[in-house]
Amino acid sequence: MTVARPGRRATAALIDQHGRVATDLRVSLTDRCNLRCTYCMPAEGLAWLPGPGLLTDDEVARLIGVAVTRLGVTEVRFTGGEPLLRPGLAGIVERAAALRPRPSLSLTTNGIGLAGKAEALRAAGLDRVNVSLDTLSPERFVALTRRDRHAEVLAGLATAAEAGLGPVKTNSVLVRGVNEDEAPALLRYALAHGYQQRFIEQMPLDAGHIWSRERMVTAAEILAALQAEFTLLPDPAERGGAPAETWLVDGYPDGAKVGVIASVTRPFCGDCDRTRLTADGQIRNCLFSQEETDLRALLRGGGSDEEIAARWQAATWPKLPGHGIDDPKFLQPSRPMSAIGG
Ligand code: SAM
């Protein structure tokens, strides 16, 4: 499909067979991570993607350019793995910020090393960050991430807010028997620091394939725990394709919100506007896809921007109506979240 925009040349859209249009691009910059969150990666033994297979900075920048200037993408989120481990991150951000129309640029990170990089990323053109923070306890942090780096995450958060990378969002996954009681405390912490708290239901994307619906902490449980302490009011803001359902927190300053990303119990696939590029140049039209489309081979084989755009459109068209987690035939993708890009 082609969308005509006034005063601009016609842009092809990333439209699927169910009429959804992808405008939000998630770019995984690496599958490597300096944490080993139990619900995401194994303790050890996950092979990294081979170096030559990873897109170079120039290749990533070119594909983002195709997405923005030819395919109508308006938001670019850098993720991984841990995107701060990518040496060329600031340069990639800078090149994306120079595109016209300028996309909004955000980063999903575990916060380690952010304290030393936030200013430079802001200067490069990054607009905002989401930082994963599952617990306020350094001991629980070790249990969840298998690394003792909690203080670095809190420092990264504070520096990001000071650098103006806001609204800073804190993302938390609650794990039964580890941090399931922390929803109110995490929200209190976020409100006290001016961050926006998001809770994410655990999804079947762990490297060990041990996710179970029975053990997962549900949105309903999270909301019940929050409502015991806070009054949550419906958020009048348009949700659009946003994964989080949000509430205003009564009694706190304007803009104090909490969100729940209930991918499993309240799926929002009907409004999905996302497309994903892995660090090795594969397009996924859904987190849970069983199929990928190779843009790297086309890119390295001399494909033109027009050909790349056409292949990206073709990869988008067959997107399924939903992720199908509830279908008895559901198959977890072979790549874990760390290699897809969360
Ligand atoms: N390393 C960065 C970070 O920690 O935010 C970016 C990548 S990480 C895969 C992105 C987000 O996915 C994090 O908030 C993480 O908690 C979440 N995540 C990872 N595995 C998940 C799972 N199985 N279910 C739900 N969320 C998951």
mmCIF file of all heavy atoms in Angstrom, residues 256-303:
data_model
loop_
_atom_site.group_PDB
_atom_site.id
_atom_site.type_symbol
_atom_site.label_atom_id
_atom_site.label_comp_id
_atom_site.label_asym_id
_atom_site.label_seq_id
_atom_site.Cartn_x
_atom_site.Cartn_y
_atom_site.Cartn_z
ATOM 1 N N ALA A 256 1.599 11.393 36.666
ATOM 2 C CA ALA A 256 2.027 10.203 37.414
ATOM 3 C C ALA A 256 1.166 9.031 36.947
ATOM 4 O O ALA A 256 -0.038 9.016 37.156
ATOM 5 C CB ALA A 256 1.867 10.425 38.913
ATOM 6 N N LYS A 257 1.830 8.077 36.303
ATOM 7 C CA LYS A 257 1.093 6.970 35.683
ATOM 8 C C LYS A 257 1.761 5.655 36.026
ATOM 9 O O LYS A 257 2.957 5.608 36.296
ATOM 10 C CB LYS A 257 1.143 7.077 34.149
ATOM 11 C CG LYS A 257 0.352 8.193 33.557
ATOM 12 C CD LYS A 257 0.349 8.069 32.044
ATOM 13 C CE LYS A 257 -0.281 9.306 31.421
ATOM 14 N NZ LYS A 257 -0.543 9.150 30.003
ATOM 15 N N VAL A 258 0.975 4.595 35.931
ATOM 16 C CA VAL A 258 1.553 3.259 35.990
ATOM 17 C C VAL A 258 0.958 2.459 34.847
ATOM 18 O O VAL A 258 -0.203 2.678 34.475
ATOM 19 C CB VAL A 258 1.294 2.596 37.356
ATOM 20 C CG1 VAL A 258 -0.188 2.412 37.648
ATOM 21 C CG2 VAL A 258 2.019 1.253 37.465
ATOM 22 N N GLY A 259 1.756 1.566 34.285
ATOM 23 C CA GLY A 259 1.283 0.775 33.158
ATOM 24 C C GLY A 259 1.507 -0.711 33.378
ATOM 25 O O GLY A 259 2.422 -1.107 34.113
ATOM 26 N N VAL A 260 0.671 -1.503 32.750
ATOM 27 C CA VAL A 260 0.857 -2.956 32.779
ATOM 28 C C VAL A 260 0.852 -3.455 31.336
ATOM 29 O O VAL A 260 -0.056 -3.122 30.562
ATOM 30 C CB VAL A 260 -0.250 -3.658 33.595
ATOM 31 C CG1 VAL A 260 -0.037 -5.166 33.586
ATOM 32 C CG2 VAL A 260 -0.274 -3.132 35.027
ATOM 33 N N ILE A 261 1.874 -4.212 30.996
ATOM 34 C CA ILE A 261 1.969 -4.798 29.662
ATOM 35 C C ILE A 261 1.562 -6.263 29.804
ATOM 36 O O ILE A 261 2.353 -7.120 30.193
ATOM 37 C CB ILE A 261 3.405 -4.641 29.097
ATOM 38 C CG1 ILE A 261 3.762 -3.145 29.026
ATOM 39 C CG2 ILE A 261 3.535 -5.317 27.733
ATOM 40 C CD1 ILE A 261 5.164 -2.834 28.561
ATOM 41 N N ALA A 262 0.271 -6.513 29.532
ATOM 42 C CA ALA A 262 -0.307 -7.835 29.806
ATOM 43 C C ALA A 262 -0.365 -8.658 28.531
ATOM 44 O O ALA A 262 -1.431 -9.060 28.074
ATOM 45 C CB ALA A 262 -1.687 -7.672 30.428
ATOM 46 N N SER A 263 0.788 -8.917 27.956
ATOM 47 C CA SER A 263 0.843 -9.607 26.656
ATOM 48 C C SER A 263 0.152 -10.956 26.693
ATOM 49 O O SER A 263 -0.361 -11.411 25.673
ATOM 50 C CB SER A 263 2.294 -9.845 26.242
ATOM 51 O OG SER A 263 3.064 -8.733 26.523
ATOM 52 N N VAL A 264 0.140 -11.604 27.859
ATOM 53 C CA VAL A 264 -0.414 -12.957 27.925
ATOM 54 C C VAL A 264 -1.905 -12.930 28.263
ATOM 55 O O VAL A 264 -2.712 -13.524 27.550
ATOM 56 C CB VAL A 264 0.357 -13.801 28.968
ATOM 57 C CG1 VAL A 264 -0.227 -15.215 29.040
ATOM 58 C CG2 VAL A 264 1.834 -13.847 28.626
ATOM 59 N N THR A 265 -2.288 -12.220 29.325
ATOM 60 C CA THR A 265 -3.690 -12.306 29.767
ATOM 61 C C THR A 265 -4.595 -11.262 29.125
ATOM 62 O O THR A 265 -5.814 -11.409 29.154
ATOM 63 C CB THR A 265 -3.800 -12.194 31.298
ATOM 64 O OG1 THR A 265 -3.325 -10.901 31.713
ATOM 65 C CG2 THR A 265 -2.993 -13.280 31.996
ATOM 66 N N ARG A 266 -4.023 -10.187 28.596
ATOM 67 C CA ARG A 266 -4.848 -9.185 27.891
ATOM 68 C C ARG A 266 -4.118 -8.762 26.619
ATOM 69 O O ARG A 266 -3.637 -7.628 26.512
ATOM 70 C CB ARG A 266 -5.052 -7.938 28.761
ATOM 71 C CG ARG A 266 -5.688 -8.207 30.111
ATOM 72 C CD ARG A 266 -5.951 -6.877 30.785
ATOM 73 N NE ARG A 266 -6.291 -7.030 32.186
ATOM 74 C CZ ARG A 266 -6.702 -6.047 32.978
ATOM 75 N NH1 ARG A 266 -6.813 -4.812 32.493
ATOM 76 N NH2 ARG A 266 -6.991 -6.270 34.239
ATOM 77 N N PRO A 267 -3.988 -9.694 25.676
ATOM 78 C CA PRO A 267 -3.160 -9.395 24.498
ATOM 79 C C PRO A 267 -3.701 -8.207 23.693
ATOM 80 O O PRO A 267 -4.901 -7.947 23.684
ATOM 81 C CB PRO A 267 -3.202 -10.687 23.684
ATOM 82 C CG PRO A 267 -4.260 -11.535 24.265
ATOM 83 C CD PRO A 267 -4.581 -11.031 25.637
ATOM 84 N N PHE A 268 -2.780 -7.503 23.069
ATOM 85 C CA PHE A 268 -3.138 -6.269 22.360
ATOM 86 C C PHE A 268 -2.700 -6.358 20.902
ATOM 87 O O PHE A 268 -2.434 -5.354 20.249
ATOM 88 C CB PHE A 268 -2.479 -5.063 23.060
ATOM 89 C CG PHE A 268 -1.103 -5.377 23.602
ATOM 90 C CD1 PHE A 268 0.013 -5.270 22.808
ATOM 91 C CD2 PHE A 268 -0.957 -5.824 24.909
ATOM 92 C CE1 PHE A 268 1.268 -5.601 23.291
ATOM 93 C CE2 PHE A 268 0.302 -6.158 25.409
ATOM 94 C CZ PHE A 268 1.415 -6.046 24.597
ATOM 95 N N CYS A 269 -2.653 -7.601 20.397
ATOM 96 C CA CYS A 269 -2.129 -7.831 19.037
ATOM 97 C C CYS A 269 -2.947 -7.094 17.977
ATOM 98 O O CYS A 269 -2.418 -6.708 16.931
ATOM 99 C CB CYS A 269 -2.121 -9.323 18.720
ATOM 100 S SG CYS A 269 -1.212 -10.314 19.918
ATOM 101 N N GLY A 270 -4.244 -6.914 18.227
ATOM 102 C CA GLY A 270 -5.110 -6.269 17.227
ATOM 103 C C GLY A 270 -4.674 -4.848 16.921
ATOM 104 O O GLY A 270 -5.020 -4.306 15.862
ATOM 105 N N ASP A 271 -3.935 -4.233 17.841
ATOM 106 C CA ASP A 271 -3.472 -2.857 17.624
ATOM 107 C C ASP A 271 -1.959 -2.792 17.430
ATOM 108 O O ASP A 271 -1.369 -1.709 17.529
ATOM 109 C CB ASP A 271 -3.857 -1.973 18.822
ATOM 110 C CG ASP A 271 -5.359 -1.766 18.884
ATOM 111 O OD1 ASP A 271 -5.952 -1.488 17.828
ATOM 112 O OD2 ASP A 271 -5.944 -1.913 19.977
ATOM 113 N N CYS A 272 -1.345 -3.947 17.207
ATOM 114 C CA CYS A 272 0.130 -3.958 17.135
ATOM 115 C C CYS A 272 0.625 -3.104 15.971
ATOM 116 O O CYS A 272 0.154 -3.231 14.848
ATOM 117 C CB CYS A 272 0.635 -5.390 16.966
ATOM 118 S SG CYS A 272 2.436 -5.464 16.880
ATOM 119 N N ASP A 273 1.612 -2.238 16.275
ATOM 120 C CA ASP A 273 2.193 -1.404 15.210
ATOM 121 C C ASP A 273 3.713 -1.578 15.158
ATOM 122 O O ASP A 273 4.433 -0.680 14.771
ATOM 123 C CB ASP A 273 1.812 0.070 15.421
ATOM 124 C CG ASP A 273 2.367 0.645 16.714
ATOM 125 O OD1 ASP A 273 3.020 -0.108 17.488
ATOM 126 O OD2 ASP A 273 2.175 1.854 16.962
ATOM 127 N N ARG A 274 4.185 -2.775 15.560
ATOM 128 C CA ARG A 274 5.626 -2.967 15.653
ATOM 129 C C ARG A 274 6.184 -3.864 14.531
ATOM 130 O O ARG A 274 5.514 -4.774 14.047
ATOM 131 C CB ARG A 274 5.978 -3.577 17.019
ATOM 132 C CG ARG A 274 5.932 -2.523 18.131
ATOM 133 C CD ARG A 274 5.990 -3.092 19.500
ATOM 134 N NE ARG A 274 4.767 -3.736 19.891
ATOM 135 C CZ ARG A 274 3.624 -3.106 20.158
ATOM 136 N NH1 ARG A 274 3.547 -1.791 20.047
ATOM 137 N NH2 ARG A 274 2.555 -3.795 20.519
ATOM 138 N N THR A 275 7.423 -3.570 14.184
ATOM 139 C CA THR A 275 8.207 -4.415 13.282
ATOM 140 C C THR A 275 9.594 -4.516 13.910
ATOM 141 O O THR A 275 10.030 -3.581 14.585
ATOM 142 C CB THR A 275 8.258 -3.819 11.855
ATOM 143 O OG1 THR A 275 9.046 -4.684 11.010
ATOM 144 C CG2 THR A 275 8.889 -2.428 11.804
ATOM 145 N N ARG A 276 10.253 -5.649 13.726
ATOM 146 C CA ARG A 276 11.506 -5.877 14.451
ATOM 147 C C ARG A 276 12.647 -6.249 13.520
ATOM 148 O O ARG A 276 12.452 -7.058 12.598
ATOM 149 C CB ARG A 276 11.325 -7.022 15.467
ATOM 150 C CG ARG A 276 10.369 -6.655 16.555
ATOM 151 C CD ARG A 276 9.999 -7.839 17.432
ATOM 152 N NE ARG A 276 8.933 -7.424 18.324
ATOM 153 C CZ ARG A 276 9.112 -6.796 19.471
ATOM 154 N NH1 ARG A 276 10.332 -6.536 19.904
ATOM 155 N NH2 ARG A 276 8.088 -6.416 20.198
ATOM 156 N N LEU A 277 13.802 -5.689 13.813
ATOM 157 C CA LEU A 277 15.025 -5.996 13.074
ATOM 158 C C LEU A 277 16.017 -6.600 14.065
ATOM 159 O O LEU A 277 16.366 -5.954 15.061
ATOM 160 C CB LEU A 277 15.598 -4.701 12.475
ATOM 161 C CG LEU A 277 16.943 -4.801 11.762
ATOM 162 C CD1 LEU A 277 16.856 -5.692 10.517
ATOM 163 C CD2 LEU A 277 17.446 -3.418 11.379
ATOM 164 N N THR A 278 16.469 -7.834 13.798
ATOM 165 C CA THR A 278 17.431 -8.452 14.714
ATOM 166 C C THR A 278 18.841 -7.949 14.399
ATOM 167 O O THR A 278 19.096 -7.373 13.337
ATOM 168 C CB THR A 278 17.408 -9.994 14.598
ATOM 169 O OG1 THR A 278 17.857 -10.340 13.283
ATOM 170 C CG2 THR A 278 16.010 -10.555 14.841
ATOM 171 N N ALA A 279 19.756 -8.238 15.323
ATOM 172 C CA ALA A 279 21.130 -7.743 15.161
ATOM 173 C C ALA A 279 21.813 -8.375 13.947
ATOM 174 O O ALA A 279 22.793 -7.833 13.438
ATOM 175 C CB ALA A 279 21.924 -8.027 16.436
ATOM 176 N N ASP A 280 21.286 -9.511 13.483
ATOM 177 C CA ASP A 280 21.871 -10.138 12.290
ATOM 178 C C ASP A 280 21.012 -9.900 11.046
ATOM 179 O O ASP A 280 21.069 -10.662 10.075
ATOM 180 C CB ASP A 280 22.156 -11.635 12.516
ATOM 181 C CG ASP A 280 20.929 -12.423 12.968
ATOM 182 O OD1 ASP A 280 19.887 -11.791 13.273
ATOM 183 O OD2 ASP A 280 21.000 -13.661 13.026
ATOM 184 N N GLY A 281 20.198 -8.857 11.099
ATOM 185 C CA GLY A 281 19.554 -8.392 9.869
ATOM 186 C C GLY A 281 18.328 -9.161 9.430
ATOM 187 O O GLY A 281 18.014 -9.194 8.233
ATOM 188 N N GLN A 282 17.623 -9.762 10.378
ATOM 189 C CA GLN A 282 16.391 -10.480 10.045
ATOM 190 C C GLN A 282 15.192 -9.642 10.487
ATOM 191 O O GLN A 282 15.199 -9.060 11.580
ATOM 192 C CB GLN A 282 16.336 -11.838 10.769
ATOM 193 C CG GLN A 282 17.592 -12.672 10.622
ATOM 194 C CD GLN A 282 17.878 -13.040 9.177
ATOM 195 O OE1 GLN A 282 17.039 -13.615 8.505
ATOM 196 N NE2 GLN A 282 19.073 -12.681 8.697
ATOM 197 N N ILE A 283 14.175 -9.629 9.645
ATOM 198 C CA ILE A 283 12.922 -8.956 10.006
ATOM 199 C C ILE A 283 11.998 -9.966 10.648
ATOM 200 O O ILE A 283 11.820 -11.079 10.145
ATOM 201 C CB ILE A 283 12.219 -8.401 8.741
ATOM 202 C CG1 ILE A 283 13.016 -7.259 8.169
ATOM 203 C CG2 ILE A 283 10.789 -7.959 9.042
ATOM 204 C CD1 ILE A 283 13.118 -6.079 9.078
ATOM 205 N N ARG A 284 11.411 -9.581 11.770
ATOM 206 C CA ARG A 284 10.359 -10.392 12.411
ATOM 207 C C ARG A 284 9.128 -9.501 12.499
ATOM 208 O O ARG A 284 9.212 -8.373 12.985
ATOM 209 C CB ARG A 284 10.778 -10.823 13.814
ATOM 210 C CG ARG A 284 12.034 -11.688 13.833
ATOM 211 C CD ARG A 284 12.398 -12.029 15.248
ATOM 212 N NE ARG A 284 11.392 -12.825 15.893
ATOM 213 C CZ ARG A 284 11.365 -14.158 15.936
ATOM 214 N NH1 ARG A 284 12.330 -14.843 15.362
ATOM 215 N NH2 ARG A 284 10.392 -14.792 16.544
ATOM 216 N N ASN A 285 7.987 -10.004 12.047
ATOM 217 C CA ASN A 285 6.786 -9.164 12.113
ATOM 218 C C ASN A 285 6.077 -9.315 13.452
ATOM 219 O O ASN A 285 5.091 -8.630 13.710
ATOM 220 C CB ASN A 285 5.868 -9.403 10.913
ATOM 221 C CG ASN A 285 5.343 -10.827 10.812
ATOM 222 O OD1 ASN A 285 5.207 -11.513 11.812
ATOM 223 N ND2 ASN A 285 5.045 -11.256 9.595
ATOM 224 N N CYS A 286 6.583 -10.210 14.320
ATOM 225 C CA CYS A 286 6.000 -10.408 15.656
ATOM 226 C C CYS A 286 7.085 -10.985 16.554
ATOM 227 O O CYS A 286 7.947 -11.736 16.082
ATOM 228 C CB CYS A 286 4.828 -11.391 15.545
ATOM 229 S SG CYS A 286 4.139 -11.929 17.125
ATOM 230 N N LEU A 287 7.029 -10.641 17.849
ATOM 231 C CA LEU A 287 7.978 -11.233 18.812
ATOM 232 C C LEU A 287 7.942 -12.752 18.724
ATOM 233 O O LEU A 287 8.947 -13.418 18.900
ATOM 234 C CB LEU A 287 7.521 -10.870 20.227
ATOM 235 C CG LEU A 287 8.240 -9.816 21.039
ATOM 236 C CD1 LEU A 287 7.617 -9.720 22.412
ATOM 237 C CD2 LEU A 287 9.723 -10.074 21.135
ATOM 238 N N PHE A 288 6.726 -13.291 18.481
ATOM 239 C CA PHE A 288 6.521 -14.733 18.563
ATOM 240 C C PHE A 288 6.563 -15.428 17.206
ATOM 241 O O PHE A 288 6.198 -16.589 17.105
ATOM 242 C CB PHE A 288 5.184 -15.019 19.265
ATOM 243 C CG PHE A 288 5.186 -14.553 20.694
ATOM 244 C CD1 PHE A 288 4.707 -13.308 21.033
ATOM 245 C CD2 PHE A 288 5.705 -15.362 21.688
ATOM 246 C CE1 PHE A 288 4.737 -12.867 22.346
ATOM 247 C CE2 PHE A 288 5.739 -14.936 23.003
ATOM 248 C CZ PHE A 288 5.244 -13.691 23.335
ATOM 249 N N SER A 289 6.996 -14.724 16.175
ATOM 250 C CA SER A 289 7.046 -15.323 14.830
ATOM 251 C C SER A 289 7.877 -16.593 14.806
ATOM 252 O O SER A 289 8.897 -16.694 15.487
ATOM 253 C CB SER A 289 7.756 -14.390 13.846
ATOM 254 O OG SER A 289 7.003 -13.302 13.548
ATOM 255 N N GLN A 290 7.457 -17.503 13.952
ATOM 256 C CA GLN A 290 8.292 -18.684 13.675
ATOM 257 C C GLN A 290 9.154 -18.415 12.437
ATOM 258 O O GLN A 290 10.036 -19.192 12.119
ATOM 259 C CB GLN A 290 7.403 -19.914 13.432
ATOM 260 C CG GLN A 290 6.664 -20.388 14.662
ATOM 261 C CD GLN A 290 7.593 -20.864 15.763
ATOM 262 O OE1 GLN A 290 8.691 -21.358 15.502
ATOM 263 N NE2 GLN A 290 7.173 -20.696 16.998
ATOM 264 N N GLU A 291 8.841 -17.334 11.747
ATOM 265 C CA GLU A 291 9.556 -17.048 10.510
ATOM 266 C C GLU A 291 10.262 -15.703 10.566
ATOM 267 O O GLU A 291 9.801 -14.792 11.249
ATOM 268 C CB GLU A 291 8.587 -17.028 9.339
ATOM 269 C CG GLU A 291 8.360 -18.415 8.788
ATOM 270 C CD GLU A 291 6.977 -18.584 8.228
ATOM 271 O OE1 GLU A 291 6.471 -17.607 7.657
ATOM 272 O OE2 GLU A 291 6.413 -19.689 8.394
ATOM 273 N N GLU A 292 11.351 -15.617 9.820
ATOM 274 C CA GLU A 292 12.101 -14.366 9.702
ATOM 275 C C GLU A 292 12.379 -14.108 8.230
ATOM 276 O O GLU A 292 12.396 -15.042 7.435
ATOM 277 C CB GLU A 292 13.428 -14.481 10.460
ATOM 278 C CG GLU A 292 13.233 -14.763 11.929
ATOM 279 C CD GLU A 292 14.533 -14.815 12.703
ATOM 280 O OE1 GLU A 292 15.601 -15.012 12.080
ATOM 281 O OE2 GLU A 292 14.472 -14.643 13.932
ATOM 282 N N THR A 293 12.615 -12.875 7.904
ATOM 283 C CA THR A 293 12.943 -12.514 6.519
ATOM 284 C C THR A 293 14.322 -11.875 6.518
ATOM 285 O O THR A 293 14.575 -10.940 7.285
ATOM 286 C CB THR A 293 11.895 -11.525 5.968
ATOM 287 O OG1 THR A 293 10.633 -12.170 6.005
ATOM 288 C CG2 THR A 293 12.220 -11.107 4.546
ATOM 289 N N ASP A 294 15.170 -12.387 5.656
ATOM 290 C CA ASP A 294 16.568 -11.977 5.658
ATOM 291 C C ASP A 294 16.782 -10.697 4.839
ATOM 292 O O ASP A 294 16.673 -10.724 3.615
ATOM 293 C CB ASP A 294 17.398 -13.127 5.066
ATOM 294 C CG ASP A 294 18.882 -12.884 5.201
ATOM 295 O OD1 ASP A 294 19.268 -11.868 5.815
ATOM 296 O OD2 ASP A 294 19.654 -13.719 4.694
ATOM 297 N N LEU A 295 17.075 -9.618 5.516
ATOM 298 C CA LEU A 295 17.435 -8.381 4.786
ATOM 299 C C LEU A 295 18.946 -8.283 4.595
ATOM 300 O O LEU A 295 19.420 -7.592 3.707
ATOM 301 C CB LEU A 295 16.949 -7.139 5.542
ATOM 302 C CG LEU A 295 15.445 -6.891 5.601
ATOM 303 C CD1 LEU A 295 15.170 -5.502 6.159
ATOM 304 C CD2 LEU A 295 14.799 -7.034 4.223
ATOM 305 N N ARG A 296 19.681 -8.990 5.469
ATOM 306 C CA ARG A 296 21.147 -8.871 5.398
ATOM 307 C C ARG A 296 21.679 -9.380 4.061
ATOM 308 O O ARG A 296 22.540 -8.738 3.449
ATOM 309 C CB ARG A 296 21.764 -9.657 6.560
ATOM 310 C CG ARG A 296 23.269 -9.533 6.661
ATOM 311 C CD ARG A 296 23.813 -10.505 7.692
ATOM 312 N NE ARG A 296 23.489 -11.877 7.351
ATOM 313 C CZ ARG A 296 23.526 -12.899 8.200
ATOM 314 N NH1 ARG A 296 23.864 -12.711 9.461
ATOM 315 N NH2 ARG A 296 23.230 -14.115 7.793
ATOM 316 N N ALA A 297 21.152 -10.533 3.604
ATOM 317 C CA ALA A 297 21.649 -11.101 2.346
ATOM 318 C C ALA A 297 21.371 -10.140 1.193
ATOM 319 O O ALA A 297 22.220 -9.917 0.326
ATOM 320 C CB ALA A 297 20.991 -12.453 2.083
ATOM 321 N N LEU A 298 20.192 -9.542 1.222
ATOM 322 C CA LEU A 298 19.827 -8.600 0.157
ATOM 323 C C LEU A 298 20.746 -7.364 0.197
ATOM 324 O O LEU A 298 21.276 -6.915 -0.822
ATOM 325 C CB LEU A 298 18.361 -8.190 0.359
ATOM 326 C CG LEU A 298 17.733 -7.252 -0.650
ATOM 327 C CD1 LEU A 298 17.789 -7.848 -2.053
ATOM 328 C CD2 LEU A 298 16.272 -6.979 -0.274
ATOM 329 N N LEU A 299 20.947 -6.892 1.427
ATOM 330 C CA LEU A 299 21.809 -5.717 1.637
ATOM 331 C C LEU A 299 23.230 -5.994 1.137
ATOM 332 O O LEU A 299 23.808 -5.231 0.360
ATOM 333 C CB LEU A 299 21.808 -5.461 3.148
ATOM 334 C CG LEU A 299 22.362 -4.238 3.753
ATOM 335 C CD1 LEU A 299 21.408 -3.093 3.491
ATOM 336 C CD2 LEU A 299 22.474 -4.431 5.271
ATOM 337 N N ARG A 300 23.768 -7.132 1.563
ATOM 338 C CA ARG A 300 25.161 -7.452 1.218
ATOM 339 C C ARG A 300 25.301 -7.923 -0.228
ATOM 340 O O ARG A 300 26.396 -7.896 -0.782
ATOM 341 C CB ARG A 300 25.712 -8.502 2.193
ATOM 342 C CG ARG A 300 25.836 -7.909 3.589
ATOM 343 C CD ARG A 300 26.539 -8.809 4.578
ATOM 344 N NE ARG A 300 26.603 -8.126 5.889
ATOM 345 C CZ ARG A 300 26.986 -8.680 7.004
ATOM 346 N NH1 ARG A 300 27.356 -9.937 7.026
ATOM 347 N NH2 ARG A 300 27.017 -7.982 8.124
ATOM 348 N N GLY A 301 24.152 -8.324 -0.813
ATOM 349 C CA GLY A 301 24.200 -8.741 -2.218
ATOM 350 C C GLY A 301 24.003 -7.570 -3.169
ATOM 351 O O GLY A 301 23.814 -7.761 -4.363
ATOM 352 N N GLY A 302 24.003 -6.351 -2.634
ATOM 353 C CA GLY A 302 23.899 -5.177 -3.501
ATOM 354 C C GLY A 302 22.483 -4.700 -3.745
ATOM 355 O O GLY A 302 22.241 -3.899 -4.649
ATOM 356 N N GLY A 303 21.530 -5.182 -2.950
ATOM 357 C CA GLY A 303 20.131 -4.760 -3.128
ATOM 358 C C GLY A 303 19.966 -3.245 -2.963
ATOM 359 O O GLY A 303 20.668 -2.623 -2.155
#
